[in-house]
Amino acid sequence: MSSYEAYQIGGNVGQDLMIVLGVFVGSAVLFASNRIRNDVVAIMVLLALMLTGVLTVSESLAGFSDPVVMVTIAMFILGEAMVNTGIAQKTGEAVLKAGRGSETRLIGLLMIATGGIGAFMSSTAVVALFIPVALTVAAKAGLNPKRMLMPLSVAGLVSGMMTLIATAPNLVVDNALRVHGLAPLGFFSFTPFAIAVLAVAVTYMLFMGRRMLSREVRAEGGPRGTTMADLIKSYGLVDRVHRLLVPADSPLIDRAVARMKLRIDYGINLIGFEKHHLRRRILMPPAPDTVFEAGDQIFVVADEGDLRHFKEALGLTHLTLLGELGQREVVEEIGLAEIMLTPESKLIGQTLEEIQFHAHYNLTVLAVRRRGKPLIADLAHLPLDFGDALLVSGSWSDILRLRKEREHIVVLTLPEEFHALAPARQRAPLALAILAAMVAVMAFRLLPNVAAALLAAFALVATRCVKLDAVYRVIGWQAVVLMGAILPLATAFNKTGATRYISTSLVDSLGSLGPPTMLAAVFLITTATGFFISNTATAVLIAPIAIEAALTVGVPPQAFAMTVAIACSAAYATPVSSPVNTLVLDPGGYTFMDFVKVGLPLQLLTLVVTVALARLLFSF
């Protein structure tokens, strides 16, 4: 009896089968057209299955209560913690520092760092985080961003293969095994495949892939916000920022900031300290009670005349300004902002000295702009006027506190650096400990994965590694709705017999060629489907078919499930096959064919690695 005859079902069930296949084809067309958002298409699929009676109301909505959806929500919170505590940014800075301008070294380190971090946060989020790092690397080293961003997107996709929680399709595939009553995949079952694929991808991009991309450096374009450098330039302070060393014999030693009256006596604006205690480098804005100590490095704003007098009077040594990485560390602690006085402000008509601005707000006024003209000299005795814009410096928390002074002060400009801050960076060790605990619990199966993930998310919020009011903002609701609404399609495939019919057809067509050929076919079918629909939807549809096929031919179903998961992430060949690729499309200046010519060979290499490792690790 043929597979068609075996699964030809009459009556309502046969009609339901035709409806399911029609819904699948229709959704694939809509996904591929990209004219309607993916989450809206998924809702349309859910409604079609519900309204046609293929699924009951409960079955249609069951996807939203699936553990996979809750784990995905927890992963968004985990990813935010890695950004909020500065773990991801610090990794990027370490790559920039270790690369030392070598394209080969930078590409290799960037791919390894992206692959590692992406194991525990959204690959889309980690690539978005590393794009500015890659662009900075390219600009500083005189490299073409095209040769940096394609490897970044490849590593982001490979990072989805690293662990069970690295990307949604992994969870979907694992859940499909559980639904069939089979042993699930372990937390680190994916890792050997990912490490092997990452090694191949790094080697390929270094020796072949990047050579397919132009060396010509493309001029940077696109809009950007106001940076701290922009603010300094607009107030005429570019050549007035200096870094000085306080030697052991300076009269400043053991004196408090408030006592020295540097602005009044020397015309100096003190904006920051770099102190060293127990081999730790501490950067901080000045407070009235901050004491000068031997070896302190101080950051000041002054013109040449005042600076010369200040250095001679207090025995200070001029140092060069910090490099880019040092500057990034400074702006984590010391911020700039532009503020303006309101018409009813109590500050109008008073001088900074009369107001005791620094003592009251714990901020330093570096310059005033009046009617478009910057004023820098003798600010302490300058009466403030309505419409004056002030450039202030201090800690970010003190700057943000000005927002409560709306009756008197308006915060006009917060620079880009503020939005890139990691406000909970002191809690980075705590976030890492929570992450390690979650991984251990999942790896040793002490709790269900969903319980471990939700506990970790709760702990990150409770310990303020993630702000409570940011939780609903950071969750990617479009992805959550897509997953919850598309999961019932797999139920419909199983309920109507479509899964068994397709899997049996696959076995009838390729079973005689042996399991490795079938595995390769599953990989190719999965990647081909991924060209048209999202990788989550692909996993939902293909995983049950692959598992049924494996059971039919007597091969470990985990091998076929793993192949589906790896193939879902191996979406290198088109710019629309994954949001990761779409992210780098514009900043890299890529064409559709750039992805095709670089991605297809890597896709075939990934196929070979996956099939070989599956045979080895699952013993068939």
Side-chain angles (χ1 to χ4, degrees):
M1 182 182 294
S2 70
S3 59
Y4 177 80
E5 293 170 334
Y7 296 103
Q8 178 71 31
I9 304 172
N12 291 333
V13 177
Q15 182 180 347
D16 287 349
L17 174 58
M18 297 304 296
I19 291 173
V20 170
L21 293 176
V23 168
F24 168 65
V25 172
S27 65
V29 171
L30 290 175
F31 278 128
S33 69
N34 206 30
R35 293 184 179 180
I36 303 176
R37 275 179 26 174
N38 285 347
D39 54 331
V40 177
V41 174
I43 291 290
M44 292 168 65
V45 169
L46 182 152
L47 287 171
L49 296 174
M50 181 192 299
L51 295 176
T52 56
V54 173
L55 297 181
T56 66
V57 172
S58 297
E59 289 172 331
S60 301
L61 300 177
F64 291 100
S65 63
D66 195 285
V68 173
V69 175
M70 299 309 298
V71 172
T72 301
I73 289 174
M75 290 307 102
F76 280 110
I77 298 172
L78 178 61
E80 174 66 8
M82 296 190 73
V83 174
N84 207 40
T85 57
I87 296 169
Q89 293 94 323
K90 288 294 183 184
T91 305
E93 290 174 4
V95 169
L96 181 59
K97 186 175 182 179
R100 298 194 297 277
S102 164
E103 183 180 79
T104 300
R105 189 183 299 117
L106 284 168
I107 288 175
L109 290 172
L110 192 64
M111 291 183 73
I112 292 170
T114 303
I117 291 183
F120 303 103
M121 64 185 291
S122 159
S123 55
T124 304
V126 75
V127 169
L129 186 72
F130 272 92
I131 284 175
V133 175
L135 291 175
T136 300
V137 167
K140 290 294 180 183
L143 305 173
N144 188 347
K146 223 175 190 181
R147 294 164 69 89
M148 302 294 297
L149 295 182
M150 182 80 76
L152 175 64
S153 68
V154 167
L157 291 168
V158 176
S159 74
M161 309 173 189
M162 282 288 175
T163 62
L164 175 64
I165 62 172
T167 191
N170 296 358
L171 295 164
V172 170
V173 167
D174 183 68
N175 191 61
L177 287 169
R178 295 174 187 271
V179 168
H180 281 76
L182 300 167
L185 297 168
F187 187 86
F188 291 112
S189 296
F190 300 81
T191 309
F193 291 84
I195 292 174
V197 173
L198 183 60
V200 169
V202 171
T203 304
Y204 169 78
M205 292 306 300
L206 289 179
F207 292 99
M208 185 177 173
R210 65 173 170 151
R211 302 185 191 282
M212 301 180 189
L213 303 169
S214 172
R215 279 185 175 274
E216 182 181 351
V217 179
R218 182 173 61 91
E220 286 189 55
R224 67 182 180 90
T226 301
T227 65
M228 291 175 68
D230 293 332
L231 287 174
I232 289 171
K233 183 178 180 180
S234 68
Y235 280 84
L237 300 176
V238 172
D239 298 322
R240 295 172 181 259
V241 181
H242 307 277
R243 178 168 161 247
L244 306 172
L245 174 67
V246 181
D249 58 352
S250 171
L252 278 176
I253 299 298
D254 294 331
R255 303 288 182 92
V257 168
R259 181 178 177 185
M260 294 308 298
K261 299 180 180 179
L262 299 182
R263 186 201 295 271
I264 297 172
D265 293 344
Y266 299 97
I268 296 292
N269 283 318
L270 178 64
I271 59 175
F273 279 86
E274 179 182 321
K275 290 180 173 287
H276 298 267
H277 288 290
L278 302 176
R279 297 184 180 180
R280 288 181 60 229
R281 182 171 180 244
I282 302 172
L283 293 157
M284 56 189 291
D289 58 351
T290 304
V291 174
F292 292 92
E293 298 173 307
D296 282 355
Q297 295 173 24
I298 59 174
F299 300 90
V300 301
V301 174
D303 61 28
E304 286 300 325
D306 289 334
L307 181 69
R308 190 181 308 111
H309 173 57
F310 180 56
K311 290 194 300 181
E312 291 173 356
L314 299 174
L316 306 176
T317 303
H318 207 151
L319 303 173
T320 57
L321 284 175
L322 297 170
E324 183 176 348
L325 288 177
Q327 291 178 35
R328 290 185 189 180
E329 293 174 347
V330 170
V331 301
E332 287 183 352
E333 303 292 344
I334 304 168
L336 288 179
E338 185 178 36
I339 65 173
M340 179 176 280
L341 305 185
T342 64
E344 298 82 19
S345 175
K346 65 182 180 182
L347 309 183
I348 292 175
Q350 300 189 68
T351 67
L352 295 175
E353 185 179 4
E354 291 169 343
I355 299 166
Q356 293 187 316
F357 190 94
H358 185 270
H360 187 71
Y361 297 105
N362 207 25
L363 296 169
T364 301
V365 177
L366 304 181
V368 175
R369 188 162 58 214
R370 179 171 292 172
R371 301 177 187 89
K373 180 182 179 181
L375 305 174
I376 301 168
D378 198 21
L379 292 180
H381 303 104
L382 176 71
L384 299 176
D385 196 2
F386 165 61
D388 282 352
L390 285 65
L391 183 65
V392 299
S393 172
S395 71
W396 291 108
S397 58
D398 287 325
I399 289 173
L400 292 179
R401 206 168 287 124
L402 290 177
R403 289 176 166 177
K404 299 179 180 179
E405 301 279 339
R406 293 186 183 92
E407 186 179 349
H408 306 289
I409 293 171
V410 176
V411 179
L412 286 180
T413 307
L414 285 168
E416 277 194 336
E417 287 85 349
F418 165 75
H419 302 289
L421 284 177
R425 56 189 174 278
Q426 298 89 349
R427 297 185 177 87
L430 187 57
L432 287 172
I434 292 170
L435 172 63
M438 182 196 74
V439 170
V441 169
M442 286 184 170
F444 291 103
R445 300 180 182 177
L446 302 178
L447 290 172
N449 289 336
V450 64
L454 289 175
L455 276 173
F458 179 80
L460 290 168
V461 173
T463 55
R464 293 184 295 171
C465 293
V466 176
K467 291 183 179 179
L468 182 59
D469 57 3
V471 167
Y472 294 101
R473 174 177 54 80
V474 303
I475 294 171
W477 293 110
Q478 185 174 341
V480 171
V481 171
L482 168 64
M483 187 177 301
I486 205 68
L487 280 172
L489 186 55
T491 303
F493 262 67
N494 288 329
K495 186 176 181 180
T496 60
T499 298
R500 180 165 295 184
Y501 169 69
I502 297 172
S503 64
T504 305
S505 298
L506 180 65
V507 173
D508 288 348
S509 302
L510 301 174
S512 61
L513 300 178
T517 302
M518 284 189 61
L519 211 57
V522 166
F523 187 100
L524 291 173
I525 291 169
T526 304
T527 53
T529 306
F531 289 156
F532 304 104
I533 65 176
S534 75
N535 58 3
T536 302
T538 299
V540 168
L541 294 174
I542 305 298
I545 294 170
I547 291 169
E548 287 282 354
L551 291 172
T552 302
V553 296
V555 174
Q558 291 78 10
F560 276 57
M562 180 65 72
T563 300
V564 172
I566 300 300
C568 283
S569 289
Y572 319 118
T574 75
V576 295
S577 55
S578 168
V580 171
N581 294 345
T582 307
L583 274 177
V584 302
L585 180 64
D586 182 60
Y590 298 113
T591 65
F592 188 95
M593 288 308 299
D594 285 328
F595 284 92
V596 174
K597 68 184 181 183
V598 174
L600 278 180
L602 183 56
Q603 212 143 6
L604 294 175
L605 287 172
T606 303
L607 183 156
V608 172
V609 170
T610 303
V611 172
L613 270 181
R615 291 198 69 188
L616 177 66
L617 297 179
F618 293 104
S619 304
F620 67 90

